[in-house]
Amino acid sequence: MLPAKDHLSICFAHVAYQLRRRFEERRTGIASFEVRDWAGLERRIGEADVLVISGLWRDALLPLAGRLRYVQSIGAGTDQFPRQGLADRGIRLASAQGVNANAVAEHAMALLLALTRRLPEARDNQARQVWRGMIGEPAEREAELAGKTLLIVGLGRIGGRLARLARAFEMRVVGLRADPAKGAQGAEAVHGLDALPGLLAEADCLALACPLTPATEKLIDAAALARLKPGALVINVARGRVVDEPALIASLRSGRLAGAALDVTATEPLPADSPLWRMANVLITPHTAGETRAYEDNVLDILQQNLARLWRGETALLNQVV
């Protein structure tokens, strides 16, 4: 059970987001504090009944968190949290699923357009004050999206929104999801994940918007990349470990893949020695697809709804994980 409102303490743990400031502006009367790094979190976690966190989480916090009863993830993904360990201690966990679905889908569409229209090359040329001339070889020019096939792995809120955006560009959209019975969202057709090998050869672009689970870890491996249509593009706004990164690098180097746009990587931040940094056919954004000016308030809305549910003695949380 959560302590009463006047005895509750919330810890907001994030390196940059202004969660506590936005929470204080709501004048809830609930005590809170903020930490910006692991050392501060380790030192003060024992004071928290509620923890609002994502990237700063470490499993070593569990034995230090004697008061903790509820964890609100700041992100949609919760693969970093030890679900059984939380459950064993009676600690509830909810995700922030849905708060940035539009932003991530729009980011994925922007990445696809950027690669198709060769915007990174244009920006590089601008920095060098190079006015590129006309290109005689058609295969080396910019491409168009209309009529191309987009294969989306993960047709949840993000994938569904991306499907609808892509349809507006007159793309053919095929989707994959763990449970096809949940619907095609905006895609023209939906299949289970087991249909992936047979559909890859149709894809001009493969977009990843699925959660990281045992079934999706390294789902896009060397064999999957080899099945993609030659010259295809890969967009990843899911999790880095959905892709076998060395296999992706090899496929990009060989020229079989025309390009990749990655908002997520297997290790974050991306190590300085990663070849991905130096590849002209790769566009990298630093896990910022979900960032939006409304992000803090969207997360706090979920937090306050779940606090109210817990105080009422309800067992089901909004975006419940544990």
Side-chain angles (χ1 to χ4, degrees):
M1 295 291 293
L2 277 182
K5 180 178 178 179
D6 56 350
H7 289 90
L8 191 76
S9 177
I10 301 177
C11 173
F12 294 101
H14 196 278
V15 298
Y17 287 174
Q18 302 299 314
L19 287 155
R20 183 170 186 265
R21 179 174 67 82
R22 299 296 295 163
F23 186 71
E24 290 293 296
E25 290 171 358
R26 297 185 177 212
R27 302 186 183 279
T28 65
I30 300 172
S32 66
F33 63 95
E34 179 179 76
V35 295
R36 293 292 188 187
D37 54 30
W38 163 249
L41 181 58
E42 183 182 33
R43 185 173 62 254
R44 299 197 64 185
I45 184 61
E47 304 171 34
D49 302 294
V50 175
L51 177 62
V52 184
I53 191 170
S54 57
L56 284 175
W57 175 267
R58 302 291 183 275
D59 289 357
L61 292 171
L62 274 179
L64 305 176
R67 291 175 52 174
L68 190 61
R69 289 295 173 265
Y70 163 41
V71 176
Q72 174 61 59
S73 174
I74 297 169
T78 56
D79 51 275
Q80 71 270 44
F81 296 103
R83 299 185 185 189
Q84 191 58 54
L86 293 172
D88 289 344
R89 290 166 173 79
I91 301 171
R92 306 301 302 277
L93 170 65
S95 78
Q97 184 180 9
V99 299
N100 59 2
N102 286 351
V104 177
E106 290 168 11
H107 194 89
M109 195 69 217
L111 293 175
L112 177 54
L113 284 164
L115 288 183
T116 304
R117 302 306 303 166
R118 296 173 62 170
L119 296 184
E121 177 187 319
R123 184 70 178 186
D124 291 345
N125 285 340
Q126 178 182 341
R128 299 195 306 268
Q129 296 181 304
V130 171
W131 187 276
R132 194 197 75 187
M134 303 291 287
I135 296 176
E137 175 55 51
E140 295 178 7
R141 299 174 192 160
E142 290 82 353
E144 300 177 29
L145 292 180
K148 298 288 176 58
T149 295
L150 172 63
L151 179 61
I152 301 176
V153 179
L155 273 182
R157 292 181 177 95
I158 294 168
R161 170 72 169 165
L162 175 59
R164 293 188 290 275
L165 291 173
R167 291 284 296 276
F169 283 85
E170 300 181 9
M171 298 189 77
R172 171 179 176 255
V173 182
V174 179
L176 299 173
R177 64 188 311 173
D179 183 3
K182 290 185 176 179
Q185 303 289 1
E188 296 173 46
V190 60
H191 305 270
L193 292 177
D194 57 354
L196 177 65
L199 292 171
L200 286 166
E202 303 177 19
D204 297 289
C205 176
L206 172 66
L208 306 172
C210 55
L212 177 64
T213 68
T216 62
E217 185 161 8
K218 293 191 177 178
L219 179 68
I220 308 304
D221 56 11
L225 292 166
R227 291 188 180 99
L228 274 171
K229 183 184 292 188
L233 303 173
V234 172
I235 310 294
N236 191 1
V237 293
R239 285 290 185 268
R241 297 199 329 262
V242 172
V243 177
D244 183 333
E245 207 163 87
L248 176 67
I249 291 169
S251 188
L252 288 163
R253 280 175 167 164
S254 73
R256 180 170 180 80
L257 280 183
L262 310 172
D263 186 58
V264 290
T265 54
T267 301
E268 297 181 4
L270 183 64
D273 60 354
S274 171
L276 292 168
W277 284 117
R278 299 177 293 280
M279 302 182 82
N281 55 350
V282 174
L283 175 58
I284 296 169
T285 55
H287 206 148
T288 54
E291 290 201 351
T292 163
R293 296 173 186 180
Y295 199 96
E296 284 94 337
D297 283 320
N298 292 341
V299 173
L300 292 175
D301 287 344
I302 297 173
L303 171 68
Q304 288 191 262
Q305 287 187 54
N306 280 337
L307 287 175
R309 292 187 185 196
L310 290 168
W311 278 321
R312 289 195 298 264
E314 296 180 19
T315 57
L317 299 180
L318 182 62
N319 291 344
Q320 179 176 311
V321 179
V322 174

mmCIF file of all heavy atoms in Angstrom, residues 151-155 174-181 183 189-199 219:
data_model
loop_
_atom_site.group_PDB
_atom_site.id
_atom_site.type_symbol
_atom_site.label_atom_id
_atom_site.label_comp_id
_atom_site.label_asym_id
_atom_site.label_seq_id
_atom_site.Cartn_x
_atom_site.Cartn_y
_atom_site.Cartn_z
ATOM 1 N N LEU A 151 7.519 -2.178 -44.816
ATOM 2 C CA LEU A 151 7.220 -3.279 -43.901
ATOM 3 C C LEU A 151 7.490 -2.792 -42.484
ATOM 4 O O LEU A 151 8.626 -2.436 -42.150
ATOM 5 C CB LEU A 151 8.087 -4.490 -44.230
ATOM 6 C CG LEU A 151 7.914 -5.738 -43.358
ATOM 7 C CD1 LEU A 151 6.487 -6.272 -43.445
ATOM 8 C CD2 LEU A 151 8.916 -6.814 -43.765
ATOM 9 N N ILE A 152 6.464 -2.763 -41.657
ATOM 10 C CA ILE A 152 6.586 -2.272 -40.281
ATOM 11 C C ILE A 152 6.521 -3.451 -39.326
ATOM 12 O O ILE A 152 5.544 -4.208 -39.322
ATOM 13 C CB ILE A 152 5.456 -1.281 -39.937
ATOM 14 C CG1 ILE A 152 5.477 -0.095 -40.895
ATOM 15 C CG2 ILE A 152 5.598 -0.800 -38.493
ATOM 16 C CD1 ILE A 152 4.329 0.887 -40.675
ATOM 17 N N VAL A 153 7.543 -3.605 -38.502
ATOM 18 C CA VAL A 153 7.546 -4.625 -37.454
ATOM 19 C C VAL A 153 7.115 -3.943 -36.161
ATOM 20 O O VAL A 153 7.849 -3.132 -35.598
ATOM 21 C CB VAL A 153 8.941 -5.262 -37.291
ATOM 22 C CG1 VAL A 153 8.909 -6.298 -36.165
ATOM 23 C CG2 VAL A 153 9.382 -5.912 -38.594
ATOM 24 N N GLY A 154 5.901 -4.254 -35.715
ATOM 25 C CA GLY A 154 5.340 -3.626 -34.526
ATOM 26 C C GLY A 154 4.242 -2.656 -34.908
ATOM 27 O O GLY A 154 4.525 -1.530 -35.314
ATOM 28 N N LEU A 155 2.990 -3.097 -34.796
ATOM 29 C CA LEU A 155 1.856 -2.246 -35.189
ATOM 30 C C LEU A 155 1.068 -1.783 -33.972
ATOM 31 O O LEU A 155 -0.160 -1.824 -33.955
ATOM 32 C CB LEU A 155 0.932 -3.001 -36.147
ATOM 33 C CG LEU A 155 1.266 -2.943 -37.630
ATOM 34 C CD1 LEU A 155 0.223 -3.698 -38.436
ATOM 35 C CD2 LEU A 155 1.379 -1.515 -38.134
ATOM 36 N N VAL A 174 2.689 -2.902 -45.136
ATOM 37 C CA VAL A 174 2.415 -4.227 -44.577
ATOM 38 C C VAL A 174 2.956 -4.234 -43.156
ATOM 39 O O VAL A 174 4.060 -3.746 -42.902
ATOM 40 C CB VAL A 174 3.075 -5.336 -45.416
ATOM 41 C CG1 VAL A 174 2.804 -6.714 -44.803
ATOM 42 C CG2 VAL A 174 2.581 -5.281 -46.857
ATOM 43 N N GLY A 175 2.187 -4.773 -42.218
ATOM 44 C CA GLY A 175 2.591 -4.754 -40.824
ATOM 45 C C GLY A 175 2.731 -6.137 -40.223
ATOM 46 O O GLY A 175 2.080 -7.093 -40.659
ATOM 47 N N LEU A 176 3.594 -6.232 -39.221
ATOM 48 C CA LEU A 176 3.767 -7.440 -38.427
ATOM 49 C C LEU A 176 3.557 -7.091 -36.967
ATOM 50 O O LEU A 176 4.011 -6.040 -36.499
ATOM 51 C CB LEU A 176 5.180 -8.013 -38.595
ATOM 52 C CG LEU A 176 5.623 -8.458 -39.986
ATOM 53 C CD1 LEU A 176 7.089 -8.828 -39.964
ATOM 54 C CD2 LEU A 176 4.801 -9.638 -40.450
ATOM 55 N N ARG A 177 2.870 -7.980 -36.232
ATOM 56 C CA ARG A 177 2.736 -7.787 -34.799
ATOM 57 C C ARG A 177 2.571 -9.138 -34.121
ATOM 58 O O ARG A 177 2.207 -10.133 -34.769
ATOM 59 C CB ARG A 177 1.577 -6.853 -34.474
ATOM 60 C CG ARG A 177 0.212 -7.349 -34.842
ATOM 61 C CD ARG A 177 -0.853 -6.270 -34.656
ATOM 62 N NE ARG A 177 -0.764 -5.609 -33.353
ATOM 63 C CZ ARG A 177 -1.493 -4.554 -33.019
ATOM 64 N NH1 ARG A 177 -2.370 -4.044 -33.888
ATOM 65 N NH2 ARG A 177 -1.389 -4.009 -31.827
ATOM 66 N N ALA A 178 2.866 -9.168 -32.829
ATOM 67 C CA ALA A 178 2.811 -10.435 -32.108
ATOM 68 C C ALA A 178 1.431 -11.068 -32.179
ATOM 69 O O ALA A 178 1.302 -12.292 -32.285
ATOM 70 C CB ALA A 178 3.232 -10.217 -30.655
ATOM 71 N N ASP A 179 0.392 -10.243 -32.128
ATOM 72 C CA ASP A 179 -0.985 -10.750 -32.197
ATOM 73 C C ASP A 179 -1.718 -10.042 -33.331
ATOM 74 O O ASP A 179 -2.277 -8.957 -33.138
ATOM 75 C CB ASP A 179 -1.704 -10.512 -30.876
ATOM 76 C CG ASP A 179 -3.116 -11.079 -30.863
ATOM 77 O OD1 ASP A 179 -3.508 -11.708 -31.867
ATOM 78 O OD2 ASP A 179 -3.815 -10.892 -29.857
ATOM 79 N N PRO A 180 -1.750 -10.643 -34.523
ATOM 80 C CA PRO A 180 -2.415 -9.992 -35.662
ATOM 81 C C PRO A 180 -3.899 -9.724 -35.421
ATOM 82 O O PRO A 180 -4.469 -8.847 -36.060
ATOM 83 C CB PRO A 180 -2.219 -10.996 -36.803
ATOM 84 C CG PRO A 180 -1.073 -11.852 -36.389
ATOM 85 C CD PRO A 180 -1.133 -11.919 -34.896
ATOM 86 N N ALA A 181 -4.503 -10.451 -34.494
ATOM 87 C CA ALA A 181 -5.927 -10.262 -34.222
ATOM 88 C C ALA A 181 -6.218 -8.878 -33.646
ATOM 89 O O ALA A 181 -7.366 -8.426 -33.650
ATOM 90 C CB ALA A 181 -6.428 -11.338 -33.266
ATOM 91 N N GLY A 183 -5.417 -6.202 -34.962
ATOM 92 C CA GLY A 183 -5.772 -5.306 -36.051
ATOM 93 C C GLY A 183 -4.609 -4.782 -36.852
ATOM 94 O O GLY A 183 -3.456 -4.808 -36.420
ATOM 95 N N ALA A 189 -2.248 -4.719 -44.698
ATOM 96 C CA ALA A 189 -2.305 -6.119 -44.286
ATOM 97 C C ALA A 189 -1.490 -6.280 -43.020
ATOM 98 O O ALA A 189 -0.537 -5.530 -42.773
ATOM 99 C CB ALA A 189 -1.749 -7.028 -45.383
ATOM 100 N N VAL A 190 -1.866 -7.252 -42.171
ATOM 101 C CA VAL A 190 -1.142 -7.515 -40.937
ATOM 102 C C VAL A 190 -0.891 -9.006 -40.815
ATOM 103 O O VAL A 190 -1.753 -9.825 -41.171
ATOM 104 C CB VAL A 190 -1.909 -6.969 -39.708
ATOM 105 C CG1 VAL A 190 -3.275 -7.610 -39.577
ATOM 106 C CG2 VAL A 190 -1.101 -7.150 -38.434
ATOM 107 N N HIS A 191 0.298 -9.367 -40.326
ATOM 108 C CA HIS A 191 0.700 -10.754 -40.169
ATOM 109 C C HIS A 191 1.391 -10.927 -38.819
ATOM 110 O O HIS A 191 1.804 -9.955 -38.188
ATOM 111 C CB HIS A 191 1.680 -11.170 -41.283
ATOM 112 C CG HIS A 191 1.158 -10.943 -42.667
ATOM 113 N ND1 HIS A 191 0.443 -11.882 -43.353
ATOM 114 C CD2 HIS A 191 1.253 -9.850 -43.487
ATOM 115 C CE1 HIS A 191 0.118 -11.404 -44.546
ATOM 116 N NE2 HIS A 191 0.594 -10.175 -44.655
ATOM 117 N N GLY A 192 1.553 -12.164 -38.401
ATOM 118 C CA GLY A 192 2.328 -12.462 -37.214
ATOM 119 C C GLY A 192 3.810 -12.358 -37.488
ATOM 120 O O GLY A 192 4.246 -12.326 -38.649
ATOM 121 N N LEU A 193 4.604 -12.320 -36.418
ATOM 122 C CA LEU A 193 6.052 -12.179 -36.580
ATOM 123 C C LEU A 193 6.656 -13.336 -37.363
ATOM 124 O O LEU A 193 7.700 -13.167 -38.011
ATOM 125 C CB LEU A 193 6.720 -12.076 -35.204
ATOM 126 C CG LEU A 193 6.442 -10.806 -34.400
ATOM 127 C CD1 LEU A 193 7.122 -10.886 -33.038
ATOM 128 C CD2 LEU A 193 6.903 -9.563 -35.153
ATOM 129 N N ASP A 194 6.015 -14.505 -37.331
ATOM 130 C CA ASP A 194 6.561 -15.650 -38.037
ATOM 131 C C ASP A 194 6.506 -15.492 -39.554
ATOM 132 O O ASP A 194 7.140 -16.245 -40.291
ATOM 133 C CB ASP A 194 5.852 -16.943 -37.619
ATOM 134 C CG ASP A 194 4.338 -16.885 -37.845
ATOM 135 O OD1 ASP A 194 3.831 -15.813 -38.221
ATOM 136 O OD2 ASP A 194 3.673 -17.919 -37.639
ATOM 137 N N ALA A 195 5.769 -14.489 -40.035
ATOM 138 C CA ALA A 195 5.697 -14.244 -41.475
ATOM 139 C C ALA A 195 6.843 -13.367 -41.974
ATOM 140 O O ALA A 195 6.957 -13.131 -43.186
ATOM 141 C CB ALA A 195 4.364 -13.586 -41.817
ATOM 142 N N LEU A 196 7.688 -12.889 -41.067
ATOM 143 C CA LEU A 196 8.750 -11.958 -41.442
ATOM 144 C C LEU A 196 9.639 -12.470 -42.578
ATOM 145 O O LEU A 196 9.851 -11.744 -43.557
ATOM 146 C CB LEU A 196 9.596 -11.607 -40.214
ATOM 147 C CG LEU A 196 10.797 -10.689 -40.469
ATOM 148 C CD1 LEU A 196 10.340 -9.311 -40.919
ATOM 149 C CD2 LEU A 196 11.657 -10.570 -39.211
ATOM 150 N N PRO A 197 10.188 -13.691 -42.503
ATOM 151 C CA PRO A 197 11.112 -14.122 -43.569
ATOM 152 C C PRO A 197 10.510 -14.039 -44.964
ATOM 153 O O PRO A 197 11.183 -13.633 -45.918
ATOM 154 C CB PRO A 197 11.437 -15.569 -43.178
ATOM 155 C CG PRO A 197 11.243 -15.617 -41.704
ATOM 156 C CD PRO A 197 10.085 -14.710 -41.438
ATOM 157 N N GLY A 198 9.241 -14.391 -45.093
ATOM 158 C CA GLY A 198 8.617 -14.383 -46.399
ATOM 159 C C GLY A 198 8.260 -13.010 -46.922
ATOM 160 O O GLY A 198 8.036 -12.849 -48.127
ATOM 161 N N LEU A 199 8.199 -12.003 -46.036
ATOM 162 C CA LEU A 199 7.795 -10.662 -46.446
ATOM 163 C C LEU A 199 8.973 -9.723 -46.705
ATOM 164 O O LEU A 199 8.806 -8.690 -47.357
ATOM 165 C CB LEU A 199 6.897 -10.038 -45.374
ATOM 166 C CG LEU A 199 5.524 -10.688 -45.196
ATOM 167 C CD1 LEU A 199 4.830 -10.133 -43.957
ATOM 168 C CD2 LEU A 199 4.659 -10.446 -46.436
ATOM 169 N N LEU A 219 16.017 -9.920 -33.893
ATOM 170 C CA LEU A 219 15.079 -10.410 -34.901
ATOM 171 C C LEU A 219 15.601 -10.117 -36.305
ATOM 172 O O LEU A 219 15.460 -10.931 -37.223
ATOM 173 C CB LEU A 219 13.722 -9.731 -34.696
ATOM 174 C CG LEU A 219 12.604 -10.099 -35.663
ATOM 175 C CD1 LEU A 219 12.172 -11.552 -35.444
ATOM 176 C CD2 LEU A 219 11.410 -9.157 -35.485
#
